[in-house]
Amino acid sequence: MNTLATPFSAQSIRAKIVRPNALRYFHSGNSVRVNSPNTTATTARRAQQSRVHQRRSSPPPSPAAADKKDRVTSSSAFMASSAAEDADHPHQNDVVDDRIPRIASAIRVIPDFPKPGIMFQDITTLLLDPKAFKDTIDLFVERYRDKNINVVAGIEARGFIFGPPIALAIGAKFVPFRKPKKLPGEVISEEYSLEYGTDIMEMHVGAVQAGERALVVDDLIATGGTLCAAIRLLERVDVEVVECACVIELPELKGRDRLGDKPLFVLVN
């Protein structure tokens, strides 16, 4: 799994998520517009008085009802946005949901780790926020629960954090993809290139069956090398890769382009 990023600040991450055209806000209420050129001042005053009377006479909604309405509206906006993206822009995931800013703000950026010049995306602070962590899992589950997925493949190591709860919620099995010599049984391996050298990814023989449908999960996509290796490994045993899912994308590293025609779904970029 890639954890490298080009230098940018935590503030810039949030700015990219909380941008005016990425989040939609819904307002309701009574309003009276007086815009006819023949409308008199008296008519305008009466309209304003009528509006004030309506507001005073209408009891405010209970906090529970307001919260329910907000959640339903947000969920509907998210699902409508995802459906439109799938149909029109399969390689774009401009998620419209009010849970996204909380998730983005819970991710800490550590400069110069593990070496100078690297901005490390630390998801351990997301795990410390139960609400943000639950929202993260819920967003993935909402997307995949009805896609007939049999396998959730998690990439070592942080794919092991997000993959199992998604698999349990959608009724799929979880298959760990590990580094060499970590799995005790017979394995199938896939070598892939890194910036300086190569690495190997392995899974147990028999963990998946031909014809199954898989989701590949990791915490972050940078250059896309590990996701590509996971896709190749699954396709070698005739498993259909439905989609790849990550919490974070570093778009400037163009990892998405390496996936070819395989869809990628991300929450924060």
Side-chain angles (χ1 to χ4, degrees):
M1 146 195 8
N2 296 303
T3 57
L4 303 185
T6 54
F8 56 88
S9 68
Q11 266 191 328
S12 69
I13 277 189
R14 297 181 195 127
K16 288 182 181 180
I17 291 302
V18 191
R19 58 190 186 277
N21 63 351
L23 298 176
R24 301 174 186 170
Y25 298 89
F26 296 84
H27 302 275
S28 60
N30 298 315
S31 62
V32 176
R33 179 183 294 176
V34 183
N35 59 1
S36 170
N38 297 322
T39 302
T40 64
T42 300
T43 303
R45 285 196 300 273
R46 287 178 181 173
Q48 183 177 11
Q49 290 169 359
S50 174
R51 180 176 61 185
V52 171
H53 174 72
Q54 289 175 0
R55 288 178 176 171
R56 288 178 177 173
S57 60
S58 300
S62 66
D67 179 65
K68 180 178 179 182
K69 179 179 179 182
D70 289 343
R71 285 186 281 110
V72 170
T73 301
S74 298
S75 178
S76 299
F78 170 75
M79 290 186 290
S81 173
S82 295
E85 289 158 7
D86 288 347
D88 300 329
H89 302 288
H91 294 291
Q92 295 180 12
N93 299 289
D94 194 9
V95 178
V96 181
D97 193 286
D98 61 1
R99 292 169 286 186
I100 298 297
R102 183 185 184 106
I103 294 170
S105 64
I107 298 168
R108 177 172 58 178
V109 179
I110 305 294
D112 299 322
F113 181 85
K115 59 184 180 181
I118 293 176
M119 305 294 285
F120 185 83
Q121 311 299 306
D122 181 16
I123 55 93
T124 63
T125 47
L126 171 64
L127 306 180
L128 296 175
D129 185 335
K131 180 66 168 62
F133 186 23
K134 181 179 184 301
D135 286 345
T136 301
I137 300 303
D138 286 349
L139 284 168
F140 288 127
V141 171
E142 289 164 17
R143 182 171 180 85
Y144 298 116
R145 64 158 55 101
D146 297 321
K147 293 198 173 183
N148 193 29
I149 290 172
N150 316 105
V151 176
V152 175
I155 296 177
E156 187 174 350
R158 286 179 282 276
F160 297 175
I161 295 172
F162 300 101
I166 296 171
L168 284 173
I170 67 175
K173 60 185 174 183
F174 177 75
V175 178
F177 279 24
R178 303 218 59 185
K179 296 182 183 298
K181 300 181 180 179
K182 296 290 186 179
L183 293 171
E186 184 182 0
V187 299
I188 177 172
S189 304
E190 180 70 29
E191 185 174 303
Y192 60 100
S193 298
L194 299 173
E195 186 177 1
Y196 303 104
T198 61
D199 206 344
I200 295 175
M201 180 181 297
E202 297 181 339
M203 73 171 174
H204 271 140
V205 171
V208 297
Q209 305 300 319
E212 289 185 317
R213 289 165 54 85
L215 170 69
V216 181
V217 176
D218 204 353
D219 70 321
L220 178 146
I221 176 171
T223 62
T226 52
L227 287 179
C228 287
I231 293 169
R232 291 195 301 271
L233 196 55
L234 289 165
E235 291 184 339
R236 281 171 53 191
V237 291
D238 297 322
V239 171
E240 178 187 355
V241 177
V242 177
E243 194 161 272
C244 297
C246 297
V247 180
I248 307 165
E249 177 184 14
L250 304 176
E252 61 273 23
L253 298 183
K254 302 186 183 301
R256 181 186 294 266
D257 296 343
R258 293 186 62 182
L259 301 183
D261 60 352
K262 294 300 179 186
L264 170 67
F265 180 71
V266 299
L267 300 183
V268 177
N269 60 26

